[in-house]
């Protein structure tokens, strides 16, 4: 739901867009243990929502359920497509879910090896997303891929090289370009800067923040790093033991945490 603070920032008389994604009662059980328990929230257009918590809190399971990588045990997730239709992503057929992943969604993995095809070139990795939505003109596809790689500060002279010849930070940039070239409505990000050197991480975060604002991108970000959440996210959800224990505007939650667990997280990273 929109918080009171968010509502107060809306000019009087202005209509509020409906949520892009409405999740209710999402639960995932493994051998009777709840990895996610009765999670509910709304994600709004052009909003970045960060999910934070320690390892085992349930945040990655939540992301995998929503992005179609894991089947939830219960709940619904209503997504508003580009054409205005609302679908429950948990009840889509496999072909319909694949179509959604090619058009309205992007998934940015922590490890680029999970999000890139290492058997084809850098340019092909980016351009094939356009082919998946019907583009057929090779010259146009290559030009668009080159434009996005340049935007992500990847040397376009490496377009015909394999991703394995690039550094980890450059591979992550290629994965971002691959996801954003089709201008998805929602991107799921799982620790997008995890495992990178501090200097590489800082520049990549700068690029992500710029792209999010320029594209009006909606995103769901999973991270254990509160500094990353503060930099990228409008709103924050704190998870512990599979449940959401606190949520609100990012600065509000981090500057004045109410739940003892959130207070512990914040104090541990000061």
């Amino acid at each position: 739901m929109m918080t009171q603070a968010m509502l107060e920032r809306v000019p009087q008389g202005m209509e509020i867009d409906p949520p892009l994604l409405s999740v209710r009662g999402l639960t995932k059980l493994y051998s009777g243990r709840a990895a996610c328990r009765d999670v509910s929230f709304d994600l709004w257009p052009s909003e970045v929502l960060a999910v934070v918590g320690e390892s085992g809190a349930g945040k990655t399971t939540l992301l995998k359920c929503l992005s179609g990588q894991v089947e939830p045990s219960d709940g619904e997730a209503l997504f508003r497509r580009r054409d205005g239709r609302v679908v429950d992503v948990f009840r889509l057929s496999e072909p319909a879910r694949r179509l959604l992943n090619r058009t309205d969604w992007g998934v940015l993995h922590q490890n680029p090896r999970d999000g890139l095809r290492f058997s084809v070139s850098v340019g092909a990795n980016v351009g094939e997303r356009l082919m998946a939505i019907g583009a057929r003109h090779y010259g146009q596809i290559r030009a668009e891929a080159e434009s996005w790689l340049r935007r992500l500060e990847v040397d376009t002279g490496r377009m015909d090289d394999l991703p394995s010849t690039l550094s980890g930070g450059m591979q992550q940039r290629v994965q971002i370009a691959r996801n954003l070239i089709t201008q998805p409505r929602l991107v799921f990000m799982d620790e997008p800067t995890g495992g990178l050197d501090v200097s590489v991480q800082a520049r990549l975060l700068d690029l992500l923040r710029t792209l999010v604002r320029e594209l009006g991108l909606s995103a769901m970000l999973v991270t254990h790093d509160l500094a990353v959440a503060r930099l990228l996210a409008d709103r924050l959800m704190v998870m512990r033991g599979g449940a959401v224990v606190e949520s609100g505007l990012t600065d509000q939650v981090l500057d004045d945490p109410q739940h003892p667990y959130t207070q512990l997280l914040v104090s541990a990273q000061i």
Side-chain angles (χ1 to χ4, degrees), residues 198-236:
V198 173
S199 59
V200 175
Q201 182 184 83
R203 183 57 193 143
L204 191 57
L205 283 171
D206 255 354
L207 282 169
L208 275 174
R209 183 171 60 172
T210 299
L211 288 168
V212 163
R213 300 309 175 211
E214 287 180 353
L215 301 174
L217 195 65
S218 297
M220 192 165 175
L221 165 71
V222 160
T223 181
H224 70 280
D225 191 331
L226 300 185
V228 170
R230 189 187 287 274
L231 186 69
L232 292 179
D234 303 294
R235 201 154 47 92
L236 197 68

Side-chain angles (χ1 to χ4, degrees), residues 7-177:
L7 288 169
E8 288 171 355
R9 288 156 51 188
V10 177
Q12 189 172 3
M14 179 180 288
E15 291 187 9
I16 301 172
D17 288 335
L20 182 64
L21 179 68
S22 292
V23 178
R24 297 291 180 268
L26 192 160
T27 298
K28 176 60 181 177
L29 303 176
Y30 289 107
S31 303
R33 185 184 68 83
C36 280
R37 176 163 38 90
D38 196 25
V39 175
S40 299
F41 64 91
D42 291 322
L43 177 67
W44 302 86
S46 302
E47 179 186 42
V48 178
L49 174 64
V51 185
V52 301
E54 297 173 310
S55 297
K59 57 189 189 295
T60 296
T61 298
L62 171 64
L63 195 75
K64 287 184 174 181
C65 285
L66 292 172
S67 59
Q69 300 172 68
V70 169
E71 196 73 27
S73 303
D74 198 8
E76 67 175 16
L78 303 180
F79 177 73
R80 189 171 298 276
R81 293 182 52 106
R82 201 183 304 268
D83 59 12
R85 290 187 299 124
V86 176
V87 296
D88 185 347
V89 299
F90 294 158
R91 288 161 181 81
L92 289 176
S93 66
E94 188 56 36
R97 187 174 293 175
R98 285 200 301 269
L99 178 63
L100 198 62
N101 274 316
R102 291 198 302 268
T103 55
D104 283 10
W105 283 359
V107 180
L108 186 57
H109 300 271
Q110 177 179 359
N111 189 338
R113 288 189 171 276
D114 296 326
L116 296 175
R117 291 210 297 137
F118 274 62
S119 59
V120 301
S121 71
V122 166
N125 264 281
V126 179
E128 69 181 6
R129 283 275 293 191
L130 289 176
M131 295 178 65
I133 61 171
R136 290 294 178 266
H137 190 287
Y138 174 79
Q140 291 176 353
I141 292 170
R142 185 175 176 89
E144 188 70 11
E146 185 174 0
S147 173
W148 271 95
L149 288 170
R150 189 178 299 111
R151 197 169 184 175
L152 268 297
E153 300 178 355
V154 178
D155 179 3
T156 55
R158 306 292 299 275
M159 276 189 70
D160 297 317
D161 296 346
L162 293 176
S164 58
T165 65
L166 303 181
S167 67
M170 285 297 149
Q171 289 173 7
Q172 194 64 296
R173 291 167 191 246
V174 174
Q175 188 187 183
I176 295 170

